[in-house]
Amino acid sequence: MAPRKKDAGGGKGGKGGDKGKGKSGASKDGEAGGSSKLKAATVINTRHILCEKHSKKEEALAKLRDGAKFDDVAREFSEDKARQGGSLGWKVRGSLDVAYEKAAYELELSSTGNPKYAEVKTIHGYHLIMVEGRR
């Protein structure tokens, strides 16, 4: 009976503890492309540049690659209502387009002066996304 208790206790405790940690750790690392720097978040503060045409998105991308500030490029190129440098503000997980949200939650935090951004196509058009905060 003693071995049963060890197996049952160890199995339950080990499986339950490891399973929970393994699942959350693996999914976060998998989503973040292997980066363990990202902290778990349910709310993010994002900026984006939305363009209907691929060519316009490419122009905006070229400006960013040349060192322009993200918010300045957003004011010039973005075709949406986020007029404050592309700021969408704090958004809860599940409130954004699925493709947009997936890319946003995988991004590291950055500033408008030195943005780390992702490109995503949604039903709204082509987005260049950066994340300024997460909680």
Side-chain angles (χ1 to χ4, degrees), residues 49-53 56-57 60 77-79 124-127:
I49 301 167
L50 172 63
C51 303
E52 285 185 27
K53 298 192 182 243
K56 189 167 183 181
K57 187 259 315 177
F77 288 92
S78 193
E79 300 170 359
H124 306 288
Y126 297 92
H127 300 262

Side-chain angles (χ1 to χ4, degrees), residues 44-107:
I44 55 173
N45 186 6
T46 68
R47 288 183 185 265
H48 77 146
I49 301 167
L50 172 63
C51 303
E52 285 185 27
K53 298 192 182 243
H54 184 267
S55 59
K56 189 167 183 181
K57 187 259 315 177
E58 288 296 318
E59 286 180 54
L61 194 55
K63 288 240 182 189
L64 289 173
R65 287 181 179 146
D66 288 341
K69 290 179 68 176
F70 194 94
D71 53 341
D72 293 338
V73 176
R75 282 187 198 95
E76 183 180 345
F77 288 92
S78 193
E79 300 170 359
D80 71 337
K81 296 177 184 174
R83 294 288 173 217
Q84 299 183 339
S87 178
L88 295 180
W90 290 95
K91 297 293 182 184
V92 178
R93 190 181 289 265
S95 65
L96 298 166
D97 180 271
V98 175
Y100 183 104
E101 193 169 274
K102 182 180 184 308
Y105 276 95
E106 290 176 357
L107 279 170

